[in-house]
Amino acid sequence: MAILIKDNIPLAPYTLYKIGGNASFFVEVSNEEDLREALELSASKGVNFFILGAGSNILVNDKGFYGLVIKINMREIHLAEGGKLAAEGGVSMAQAVLASAKAGLTGFEWAIGVPGTIGGSVRGNAGCFGYEIKDVVESVHVLDFRKSDFLELTNSECQFGYRDSIFKRNPEWVILSAVLKLQQGEPEKIQENIKRITAERAAKQDIGTKSCGCIFKNISWSRKGVDRNILLRLFPELLIFKNSSYIPASFLIDQAGLKGKRVGRVFISPKHANYFVNDGGATAEEVVMLISIVKDTVKRKFGLLLGEEIQYVGF
């Protein structure tokens, strides 16, 4: 059956932020054949395409996206011998966690609250509580749209970095599925871990609000231009992170006195300063303005420039 292309479809309902304009063209795909057809269509129309998963960690322009938005509904999960779980790109992280728990597999409980899909999480090397998806990925199955060919990448070939991977540098590669290597565990302990992590996230983060997740990346001590000794001398409050790999962006925003800061109908969460919450009817322009204010204020206070973790769509 041929795919159904829709015109001028609002994107806000498909995002966690509930912000953004319309897509010129929109299609939902549930298998590799449909995906290939959609990609070929974007090429024939001479327009860009954007792969949409759970709609987390993205900010859609108020003017929308001129091109074809491809919503990935590929959600098959398969178990394999040796503690492996194969999940298609459209599988939510929570679904993958629950499937692994049901199979008695451990090592992935930390992802229960990550508001994204396997595909998006692999692309951005999503993580929390000291874990990243690179820790469990064995291989990634990819469609190279430009060459109309399939690729199988090992963990090392994915070139994972902090909120980064080779897929960000190769937008023509569409993640179809990933194989996760987990370990056999005790079902009761796995369920206990899931409950504990869920409660911890709910206590610290604005789960369930109109928020797209963390706006900014944390600052790596190893980043070029970041002098650990000078920063610790000038800002003793950073000493609590001297043995960590990163300075949390949320801490910097909080110390800059920005919790609760509002622009129009979007505000910085009083609970977690790296979450910007849509109070209802917020615009992308308001989010961009608040991002600019935060970057400028933190830069003036600490001399550190925050970088966005979110992906801009249609800008």
mmCIF file of all heavy atoms in Angstrom, residues 26-62:
data_model
loop_
_atom_site.group_PDB
_atom_site.id
_atom_site.type_symbol
_atom_site.label_atom_id
_atom_site.label_comp_id
_atom_site.label_asym_id
_atom_site.label_seq_id
_atom_site.Cartn_x
_atom_site.Cartn_y
_atom_site.Cartn_z
ATOM 1 N N PHE A 26 3.736 15.715 5.528
ATOM 2 C CA PHE A 26 3.833 14.871 6.718
ATOM 3 C C PHE A 26 3.414 13.447 6.359
ATOM 4 O O PHE A 26 2.428 13.236 5.650
ATOM 5 C CB PHE A 26 2.920 15.425 7.811
ATOM 6 C CG PHE A 26 2.991 14.693 9.119
ATOM 7 C CD1 PHE A 26 3.890 15.079 10.096
ATOM 8 C CD2 PHE A 26 2.144 13.620 9.375
ATOM 9 C CE1 PHE A 26 3.952 14.403 11.319
ATOM 10 C CE2 PHE A 26 2.192 12.941 10.584
ATOM 11 C CZ PHE A 26 3.095 13.343 11.562
ATOM 12 N N VAL A 27 4.178 12.477 6.861
ATOM 13 C CA VAL A 27 3.826 11.080 6.611
ATOM 14 C C VAL A 27 4.250 10.232 7.808
ATOM 15 O O VAL A 27 5.248 10.524 8.473
ATOM 16 C CB VAL A 27 4.508 10.554 5.317
ATOM 17 C CG1 VAL A 27 6.030 10.536 5.463
ATOM 18 C CG2 VAL A 27 3.996 9.167 4.957
ATOM 19 N N GLU A 28 3.471 9.205 8.082
ATOM 20 C CA GLU A 28 3.817 8.247 9.130
ATOM 21 C C GLU A 28 4.190 6.927 8.481
ATOM 22 O O GLU A 28 3.496 6.451 7.578
ATOM 23 C CB GLU A 28 2.645 8.062 10.107
ATOM 24 C CG GLU A 28 2.236 9.355 10.797
ATOM 25 C CD GLU A 28 1.182 9.150 11.882
ATOM 26 O OE1 GLU A 28 1.430 8.351 12.803
ATOM 27 O OE2 GLU A 28 0.122 9.790 11.795
ATOM 28 N N VAL A 29 5.301 6.353 8.947
ATOM 29 C CA VAL A 29 5.778 5.094 8.359
ATOM 30 C C VAL A 29 5.917 4.032 9.444
ATOM 31 O O VAL A 29 6.302 4.333 10.571
ATOM 32 C CB VAL A 29 7.123 5.283 7.624
ATOM 33 C CG1 VAL A 29 6.982 6.293 6.505
ATOM 34 C CG2 VAL A 29 8.225 5.719 8.587
ATOM 35 N N SER A 30 5.599 2.798 9.079
ATOM 36 C CA SER A 30 5.638 1.716 10.059
ATOM 37 C C SER A 30 6.553 0.565 9.663
ATOM 38 O O SER A 30 6.641 -0.435 10.356
ATOM 39 C CB SER A 30 4.226 1.176 10.311
ATOM 40 O OG SER A 30 3.615 0.776 9.094
ATOM 41 N N ASN A 31 7.250 0.711 8.508
ATOM 42 C CA ASN A 31 8.199 -0.314 8.094
ATOM 43 C C ASN A 31 9.263 0.305 7.189
ATOM 44 O O ASN A 31 9.137 1.449 6.755
ATOM 45 C CB ASN A 31 7.490 -1.486 7.391
ATOM 46 C CG ASN A 31 6.652 -1.024 6.208
ATOM 47 O OD1 ASN A 31 7.168 -0.438 5.258
ATOM 48 N ND2 ASN A 31 5.335 -1.270 6.259
ATOM 49 N N GLU A 32 10.297 -0.484 6.902
ATOM 50 C CA GLU A 32 11.423 0.021 6.118
ATOM 51 C C GLU A 32 11.020 0.383 4.693
ATOM 52 O O GLU A 32 11.528 1.350 4.121
ATOM 53 C CB GLU A 32 12.551 -1.016 6.106
ATOM 54 C CG GLU A 32 13.209 -1.216 7.459
ATOM 55 C CD GLU A 32 14.358 -2.208 7.416
ATOM 56 O OE1 GLU A 32 14.753 -2.611 6.289
ATOM 57 O OE2 GLU A 32 14.859 -2.591 8.489
ATOM 58 N N GLU A 33 10.101 -0.375 4.129
ATOM 59 C CA GLU A 33 9.661 -0.101 2.756
ATOM 60 C C GLU A 33 8.973 1.260 2.667
ATOM 61 O O GLU A 33 9.232 2.047 1.752
ATOM 62 C CB GLU A 33 8.709 -1.206 2.284
ATOM 63 C CG GLU A 33 8.250 -1.047 0.834
ATOM 64 C CD GLU A 33 7.312 -2.150 0.398
ATOM 65 O OE1 GLU A 33 7.304 -3.226 1.041
ATOM 66 O OE2 GLU A 33 6.584 -1.936 -0.586
ATOM 67 N N ASP A 34 8.090 1.544 3.635
ATOM 68 C CA ASP A 34 7.410 2.844 3.658
ATOM 69 C C ASP A 34 8.406 3.981 3.856
ATOM 70 O O ASP A 34 8.282 5.052 3.259
ATOM 71 C CB ASP A 34 6.371 2.879 4.779
ATOM 72 C CG ASP A 34 5.144 2.038 4.465
ATOM 73 O OD1 ASP A 34 5.017 1.572 3.315
ATOM 74 O OD2 ASP A 34 4.314 1.844 5.381
ATOM 75 N N LEU A 35 9.390 3.741 4.726
ATOM 76 C CA LEU A 35 10.403 4.761 4.995
ATOM 77 C C LEU A 35 11.198 5.078 3.735
ATOM 78 O O LEU A 35 11.409 6.255 3.403
ATOM 79 C CB LEU A 35 11.350 4.283 6.094
ATOM 80 C CG LEU A 35 12.556 5.192 6.381
ATOM 81 C CD1 LEU A 35 12.113 6.576 6.824
ATOM 82 C CD2 LEU A 35 13.452 4.553 7.443
ATOM 83 N N ARG A 36 11.610 4.048 3.037
ATOM 84 C CA ARG A 36 12.374 4.260 1.807
ATOM 85 C C ARG A 36 11.545 5.041 0.782
ATOM 86 O O ARG A 36 12.048 5.951 0.125
ATOM 87 C CB ARG A 36 12.806 2.912 1.215
ATOM 88 C CG ARG A 36 13.800 3.053 0.063
ATOM 89 C CD ARG A 36 13.937 1.727 -0.661
ATOM 90 N NE ARG A 36 14.680 0.777 0.119
ATOM 91 C CZ ARG A 36 16.008 0.608 0.046
ATOM 92 N NH1 ARG A 36 16.717 1.378 -0.761
ATOM 93 N NH2 ARG A 36 16.611 -0.311 0.752
ATOM 94 N N GLU A 37 10.262 4.707 0.683
ATOM 95 C CA GLU A 37 9.383 5.401 -0.259
ATOM 96 C C GLU A 37 9.247 6.878 0.117
ATOM 97 O O GLU A 37 9.254 7.759 -0.750
ATOM 98 C CB GLU A 37 7.995 4.736 -0.274
ATOM 99 C CG GLU A 37 7.046 5.322 -1.311
ATOM 100 C CD GLU A 37 5.688 4.628 -1.328
ATOM 101 O OE1 GLU A 37 5.581 3.520 -0.764
ATOM 102 O OE2 GLU A 37 4.746 5.218 -1.890
ATOM 103 N N ALA A 38 9.131 7.142 1.425
ATOM 104 C CA ALA A 38 8.998 8.528 1.892
ATOM 105 C C ALA A 38 10.259 9.326 1.593
ATOM 106 O O ALA A 38 10.189 10.485 1.155
ATOM 107 C CB ALA A 38 8.704 8.540 3.388
ATOM 108 N N LEU A 39 11.406 8.716 1.803
ATOM 109 C CA LEU A 39 12.668 9.398 1.536
ATOM 110 C C LEU A 39 12.842 9.675 0.042
ATOM 111 O O LEU A 39 13.315 10.742 -0.356
ATOM 112 C CB LEU A 39 13.834 8.551 2.060
ATOM 113 C CG LEU A 39 13.935 8.436 3.584
ATOM 114 C CD1 LEU A 39 14.944 7.362 3.985
ATOM 115 C CD2 LEU A 39 14.316 9.775 4.207
ATOM 116 N N GLU A 40 12.431 8.723 -0.782
ATOM 117 C CA GLU A 40 12.510 8.918 -2.232
ATOM 118 C C GLU A 40 11.576 10.044 -2.675
ATOM 119 O O GLU A 40 11.896 10.815 -3.583
ATOM 120 C CB GLU A 40 12.159 7.614 -2.949
ATOM 121 C CG GLU A 40 13.233 6.530 -2.803
ATOM 122 C CD GLU A 40 12.799 5.191 -3.382
ATOM 123 O OE1 GLU A 40 11.602 5.059 -3.746
ATOM 124 O OE2 GLU A 40 13.645 4.274 -3.455
ATOM 125 N N LEU A 41 10.453 10.138 -1.995
ATOM 126 C CA LEU A 41 9.500 11.193 -2.321
ATOM 127 C C LEU A 41 10.073 12.572 -1.994
ATOM 128 O O LEU A 41 9.916 13.521 -2.774
ATOM 129 C CB LEU A 41 8.194 10.981 -1.561
ATOM 130 C CG LEU A 41 7.060 11.944 -1.903
ATOM 131 C CD1 LEU A 41 6.572 11.709 -3.325
ATOM 132 C CD2 LEU A 41 5.908 11.791 -0.926
ATOM 133 N N SER A 42 10.758 12.676 -0.844
ATOM 134 C CA SER A 42 11.358 13.963 -0.480
ATOM 135 C C SER A 42 12.400 14.375 -1.509
ATOM 136 O O SER A 42 12.524 15.554 -1.847
ATOM 137 C CB SER A 42 11.976 13.889 0.919
ATOM 138 O OG SER A 42 13.188 13.167 0.913
ATOM 139 N N ALA A 43 13.129 13.394 -2.018
ATOM 140 C CA ALA A 43 14.142 13.684 -3.037
ATOM 141 C C ALA A 43 13.483 14.138 -4.337
ATOM 142 O O ALA A 43 13.936 15.089 -4.982
ATOM 143 C CB ALA A 43 14.997 12.447 -3.278
ATOM 144 N N SER A 44 12.387 13.476 -4.718
ATOM 145 C CA SER A 44 11.714 13.818 -5.967
ATOM 146 C C SER A 44 11.077 15.210 -5.906
ATOM 147 O O SER A 44 10.987 15.911 -6.900
ATOM 148 C CB SER A 44 10.641 12.773 -6.297
ATOM 149 O OG SER A 44 9.579 12.814 -5.362
ATOM 150 N N LYS A 45 10.641 15.605 -4.689
ATOM 151 C CA LYS A 45 10.054 16.927 -4.516
ATOM 152 C C LYS A 45 11.118 18.002 -4.307
ATOM 153 O O LYS A 45 10.829 19.200 -4.320
ATOM 154 C CB LYS A 45 9.095 16.932 -3.319
ATOM 155 C CG LYS A 45 7.777 16.202 -3.554
ATOM 156 C CD LYS A 45 6.895 16.278 -2.318
ATOM 157 C CE LYS A 45 5.531 15.679 -2.565
ATOM 158 N NZ LYS A 45 4.713 16.497 -3.496
ATOM 159 N N GLY A 46 12.360 17.550 -4.077
ATOM 160 C CA GLY A 46 13.448 18.492 -3.863
ATOM 161 C C GLY A 46 13.347 19.228 -2.549
ATOM 162 O O GLY A 46 13.747 20.397 -2.445
ATOM 163 N N VAL A 47 12.796 18.558 -1.516
ATOM 164 C CA VAL A 47 12.649 19.191 -0.202
ATOM 165 C C VAL A 47 13.421 18.391 0.842
ATOM 166 O O VAL A 47 13.676 17.200 0.677
ATOM 167 C CB VAL A 47 11.170 19.298 0.223
ATOM 168 C CG1 VAL A 47 10.403 20.195 -0.728
ATOM 169 C CG2 VAL A 47 10.511 17.922 0.324
ATOM 170 N N ASN A 48 13.785 19.069 1.923
ATOM 171 C CA ASN A 48 14.458 18.398 3.031
ATOM 172 C C ASN A 48 13.474 17.509 3.786
ATOM 173 O O ASN A 48 12.254 17.697 3.708
ATOM 174 C CB ASN A 48 15.040 19.427 4.000
ATOM 175 C CG ASN A 48 16.177 20.219 3.388
ATOM 176 O OD1 ASN A 48 16.933 19.700 2.568
ATOM 177 N ND2 ASN A 48 16.293 21.489 3.775
ATOM 178 N N PHE A 49 14.029 16.558 4.524
ATOM 179 C CA PHE A 49 13.177 15.727 5.368
ATOM 180 C C PHE A 49 13.669 15.809 6.812
ATOM 181 O O PHE A 49 14.820 16.124 7.084
ATOM 182 C CB PHE A 49 13.162 14.271 4.892
ATOM 183 C CG PHE A 49 14.477 13.537 5.037
ATOM 184 C CD1 PHE A 49 14.813 12.907 6.236
ATOM 185 C CD2 PHE A 49 15.374 13.474 3.981
ATOM 186 C CE1 PHE A 49 16.022 12.234 6.367
ATOM 187 C CE2 PHE A 49 16.587 12.799 4.111
ATOM 188 C CZ PHE A 49 16.907 12.184 5.312
ATOM 189 N N PHE A 50 12.760 15.544 7.724
ATOM 190 C CA PHE A 50 13.105 15.482 9.144
ATOM 191 C C PHE A 50 12.474 14.228 9.733
ATOM 192 O O PHE A 50 11.284 13.973 9.526
ATOM 193 C CB PHE A 50 12.596 16.723 9.887
ATOM 194 C CG PHE A 50 12.846 16.661 11.376
ATOM 195 C CD1 PHE A 50 14.121 16.859 11.885
ATOM 196 C CD2 PHE A 50 11.811 16.394 12.263
ATOM 197 C CE1 PHE A 50 14.363 16.779 13.249
ATOM 198 C CE2 PHE A 50 12.041 16.318 13.626
ATOM 199 C CZ PHE A 50 13.324 16.511 14.127
ATOM 200 N N ILE A 51 13.292 13.452 10.448
ATOM 201 C CA ILE A 51 12.809 12.226 11.077
ATOM 202 C C ILE A 51 12.286 12.555 12.470
ATOM 203 O O ILE A 51 13.023 13.060 13.314
ATOM 204 C CB ILE A 51 13.924 11.171 11.171
ATOM 205 C CG1 ILE A 51 14.469 10.833 9.772
ATOM 206 C CG2 ILE A 51 13.418 9.919 11.872
ATOM 207 C CD1 ILE A 51 13.473 10.176 8.854
ATOM 208 N N LEU A 52 11.015 12.266 12.701
ATOM 209 C CA LEU A 52 10.366 12.572 13.975
ATOM 210 C C LEU A 52 10.081 11.293 14.749
ATOM 211 O O LEU A 52 9.483 10.354 14.220
ATOM 212 C CB LEU A 52 9.057 13.328 13.713
ATOM 213 C CG LEU A 52 8.199 13.690 14.926
ATOM 214 C CD1 LEU A 52 8.928 14.687 15.824
ATOM 215 C CD2 LEU A 52 6.865 14.258 14.471
ATOM 216 N N GLY A 53 10.540 11.273 16.001
ATOM 217 C CA GLY A 53 10.272 10.130 16.863
ATOM 218 C C GLY A 53 9.223 10.490 17.887
ATOM 219 O O GLY A 53 8.060 10.721 17.563
ATOM 220 N N ALA A 54 9.657 10.598 19.158
ATOM 221 C CA ALA A 54 8.719 10.918 20.236
ATOM 222 C C ALA A 54 8.468 12.416 20.347
ATOM 223 O O ALA A 54 7.590 12.845 21.097
ATOM 224 C CB ALA A 54 9.243 10.377 21.564
ATOM 225 N N GLY A 55 9.248 13.224 19.629
ATOM 226 C CA GLY A 55 9.059 14.670 19.699
ATOM 227 C C GLY A 55 9.671 15.295 20.939
ATOM 228 O O GLY A 55 9.280 16.395 21.339
ATOM 229 N N SER A 56 10.630 14.608 21.538
ATOM 230 C CA SER A 56 11.339 15.162 22.696
ATOM 231 C C SER A 56 12.642 15.800 22.229
ATOM 232 O O SER A 56 13.139 15.493 21.148
ATOM 233 C CB SER A 56 11.634 14.068 23.730
ATOM 234 O OG SER A 56 12.455 13.061 23.166
ATOM 235 N N ASN A 57 13.189 16.686 23.046
ATOM 236 C CA ASN A 57 14.470 17.336 22.755
ATOM 237 C C ASN A 57 14.503 18.074 21.418
ATOM 238 O O ASN A 57 15.556 18.195 20.790
ATOM 239 C CB ASN A 57 15.632 16.336 22.811
ATOM 240 C CG ASN A 57 16.108 16.112 24.237
ATOM 241 O OD1 ASN A 57 15.916 15.040 24.765
ATOM 242 N ND2 ASN A 57 16.720 17.112 24.846
ATOM 243 N N ILE A 58 13.336 18.540 20.963
ATOM 244 C CA ILE A 58 13.307 19.342 19.744
ATOM 245 C C ILE A 58 12.479 20.604 19.982
ATOM 246 O O ILE A 58 11.570 20.622 20.815
ATOM 247 C CB ILE A 58 12.731 18.581 18.530
ATOM 248 C CG1 ILE A 58 11.262 18.202 18.755
ATOM 249 C CG2 ILE A 58 13.563 17.354 18.208
ATOM 250 C CD1 ILE A 58 10.587 17.629 17.508
ATOM 251 N N LEU A 59 12.834 21.663 19.253
ATOM 252 C CA LEU A 59 12.061 22.899 19.261
ATOM 253 C C LEU A 59 11.724 23.230 17.822
ATOM 254 O O LEU A 59 12.618 23.479 17.009
ATOM 255 C CB LEU A 59 12.846 24.043 19.907
ATOM 256 C CG LEU A 59 12.128 25.396 19.938
ATOM 257 C CD1 LEU A 59 10.885 25.329 20.829
ATOM 258 C CD2 LEU A 59 13.068 26.506 20.401
ATOM 259 N N VAL A 60 10.437 23.222 17.502
ATOM 260 C CA VAL A 60 9.974 23.482 16.142
ATOM 261 C C VAL A 60 9.677 24.971 15.980
ATOM 262 O O VAL A 60 9.010 25.583 16.819
ATOM 263 C CB VAL A 60 8.708 22.661 15.823
ATOM 264 C CG1 VAL A 60 8.210 22.971 14.412
ATOM 265 C CG2 VAL A 60 8.987 21.165 15.972
ATOM 266 N N ASN A 61 10.178 25.538 14.913
ATOM 267 C CA ASN A 61 9.965 26.949 14.602
ATOM 268 C C ASN A 61 8.471 27.269 14.532
ATOM 269 O O ASN A 61 7.666 26.446 14.082
ATOM 270 C CB ASN A 61 10.622 27.271 13.248
ATOM 271 C CG ASN A 61 10.802 28.753 13.010
ATOM 272 O OD1 ASN A 61 9.936 29.558 13.329
ATOM 273 N ND2 ASN A 61 11.928 29.121 12.429
ATOM 274 N N ASP A 62 8.116 28.463 14.975
ATOM 275 C CA ASP A 62 6.719 28.905 14.881
ATOM 276 C C ASP A 62 6.237 28.918 13.425
ATOM 277 O O ASP A 62 5.040 28.775 13.160
ATOM 278 C CB ASP A 62 6.559 30.306 15.487
ATOM 279 C CG ASP A 62 6.858 30.336 16.979
ATOM 280 O OD1 ASP A 62 6.470 29.384 17.689
ATOM 281 O OD2 ASP A 62 7.502 31.310 17.435
#
